[in-house]
Amino acid sequence: MENSADGEIVIVGGGICGLATALALHRKGIRSLVLERSENLRATGAAIIMQANGWHALHQLGVASSLRQTAIPIQRGKKISLSGASEEEEERSFGTSKEFRCLKRADLIKAIAENLPEGTVRTNCQVLSVKLDPVTYFQHLTLSNGTILQAKVVIGCDGVNSVVANMVGSRPARFLLFSTCAARGFTYYHDGHQFPAEFVVMNKDQVRLGRVPVSYNLVYWFITRPRTNQDSTISKDPVLIKQSLIELVKDFPTHVQEMVRNCELNMLNLTDLRYRPPWDLLLDNFRRGTVTVAGDAMHATGPFIAQGGSASLEDAVVLARCLAQKMQNHVDKEAQVEERATINHSAIEEALSEYVKERRMRNFWLNLYSFLLEKLFSARSVVAKVMILAVVVVLFRDPDWHIHYECGTL
C-alpha cells in the first residue's frame, strides 16, 4: 500500500523535539507531518528542567506564557554534601535573568501539540527505513504497516535508537552507556509541601539526589547511582524500583526518605543513561541530501547540566529558521515544475547544511560539559577527580555559560 505525501516535510518522532520542530515550521507558515510510532503522544520522562535558554526557545514557539502558569519559578540552587562528618552546603541565587522552572513533560507536550494544526500528528506510524528516489529526489519512508510515504524533507527526531540517524551518518550512530543510571519520580503533597523554591542537589558517596518543586503540591526528584547487574530486572517494576531507592536513601535526611516512600508509582522509572560521545558530534554527518536529525537523535547527552530538553527546543527553532529562509529565497512562481523541484531541492540541502553547522558546536560543548561532570562525579580515584576538575575549570570557567546562549528568533 502506498500513501503519497508529496511536498511534505515529514518529522519522524512525536516527542518534544519532533513536536517543537513542527510548531516552529508552522509559525513560519510551513506545513509538516509528524509520525509517532506509539498509540499516543509520549509523556514519559517525568519532568524537564527548563533554564533561560530553553525559555527563549519556548517564547519563539509561542508557548512560554501558558507554560509559566504550570510551574513555579525557582529562585536558587543549593548543593549539599553528606559524605563528610557534617553537612556542607553551597548556595547560589539564580537571579531575575536566569529563569528556572521545572515543567511536567506532559504539560510541555500538551502545550506544543495544542498549537499544531489538526492532522499534523499521526500515531501508530513506525518508520522502518528512509531511502532516496534518485529520479524525483523525494525520500521514501517505509512504515511497519507497509505504507510508503514520499517526502521532500525528512527530519529524524526519533531519539537514541533513531532510524534516521543511521541513514544519514557516515557510520552507525553510537550511543554509549554512562557508568551511572537514573531514577526519576514525582511526589504529590495533598496539603502542600514545605520545600522552598530551590533546586537542591545532595551528594553522598556515589549517590546523587536532586529535588525541585514543580508547584506548591508537586515535587520532582531524581537519583543517580552506579549501574548494577540487577537494573535490567528492577527497571521493569515500579515497586522494585521504589524498594531499591528507599534502601538507597536510608542515610539521607528524613524528608528525603519520606519523599521517595510517598512517590507516585505510575510516574516512577529507572533508566540507563546513554550519550553520543562528544567527539562524534565533531566528526559525524548529520545530513544526507534532504534528510537530517535533531534532538537526542543528534546529540543525546546526560542530565548533568539539565540541558537535553532545552537543546532540543533550540534545534527546532534553528532548523525552522534555516528552512524558511532558504525556501523563501528560492521560490520562483514562474518556473517550470521540473526546474522548481531542482531549485527547491538545492535550497533545502543548503538550509539543512546551515542548520547542522550552527548546531554542531553548540551541542558539542553541551555534550562535553555534561560528559566531564559525569566522569567527575563517578570517578573513584582522587587523582582522576583532580585531573577532570582541572579540565572543567580550564574549559568552562563560568559554570552558567550554557544558559546564556540564545538560539535567535524564528
Side-chain angles (χ1 to χ4, degrees), residues 338-355:
E338 293 81 8
E339 294 174 341
R340 185 164 64 249
T342 302
I343 292 173
N344 285 341
H345 179 81
S346 174
I348 291 167
E349 287 191 332
E350 290 178 15
L352 298 185
S353 291
E354 287 189 6
Y355 153 73

Side-chain angles (χ1 to χ4, degrees), residues 38 56 191 219 230 279 325 339:
S38 303
H56 174 81
D191 299 321
V219 174
Q230 293 75 40
W279 43 92
Q325 288 174 346
E339 294 174 341

Side-chain angles (χ1 to χ4, degrees), residues 35 82 228 243 302 309 400:
L35 303 179
L82 303 174
T228 68
Q243 290 173 352
D400 292 329

Side-chain angles (χ1 to χ4, degrees), residues 17 21 156-157 159 175 293-300 308 311-313 315-316 355 363:
C17 186
T21 301
C157 301
F175 294 98
V293 289
D296 282 351
M298 175 189 276
H299 51 75
S312 295
L313 295 173
D315 289 346
Y355 153 73
N363 289 322

Side-chain angles (χ1 to χ4, degrees), residues 59-168:
H59 177 71
Q60 298 304 310
L61 296 175
V63 296
S65 296
S66 62
L67 283 169
R68 287 190 177 100
Q69 307 305 311
T70 68
I72 62 174
I74 303 303
Q75 305 297 333
R76 64 189 66 84
K78 182 184 294 184
K79 292 182 181 179
I80 302 174
S81 175
L82 303 174
S83 297
S86 59
E87 291 187 10
E88 297 180 10
E89 293 190 8
E90 176 186 340
E91 185 174 322
R92 64 187 179 92
S93 173
F94 291 145
T96 57
S97 63
K98 302 176 183 178
E99 184 172 8
F100 188 113
R101 297 173 197 254
C102 184
L103 300 175
K104 289 179 64 178
R105 182 184 174 96
D107 289 340
L108 179 55
I109 291 287
K110 180 181 178 182
I112 298 174
E114 286 181 344
N115 282 273
L116 291 172
E118 186 176 353
T120 299
V121 180
R122 292 187 193 174
T123 55
N124 281 322
C125 292
Q126 182 177 4
V127 176
L128 299 181
S129 66
V130 182
K131 295 182 179 179
L132 174 68
D133 184 326
V135 176
T136 65
Y137 289 105
F138 276 87
Q139 304 292 339
H140 286 194
L141 296 89
T142 303
L143 308 188
S144 58
N145 63 3
T147 300
I148 297 176
L149 299 181
Q150 295 185 68
K152 191 172 294 184
V153 184
V154 177
I155 303 169
C157 301
D158 44 343
V160 294
N161 297 313
S162 172
V163 171
V164 183
N166 287 333
M167 181 265 181
V168 303

Side-chain angles (χ1 to χ4, degrees), residues 179-205:
S179 57
T180 305
C181 67
R184 302 175 177 90
F186 285 119
T187 302
Y188 187 81
Y189 296 80
H190 294 276
D191 299 321
H193 59 76
Q194 302 302 313
F195 299 124
E198 296 176 336
F199 177 33
V200 177
V201 176
M202 300 180 183
N203 296 320
K204 182 174 176 59
D205 301 325

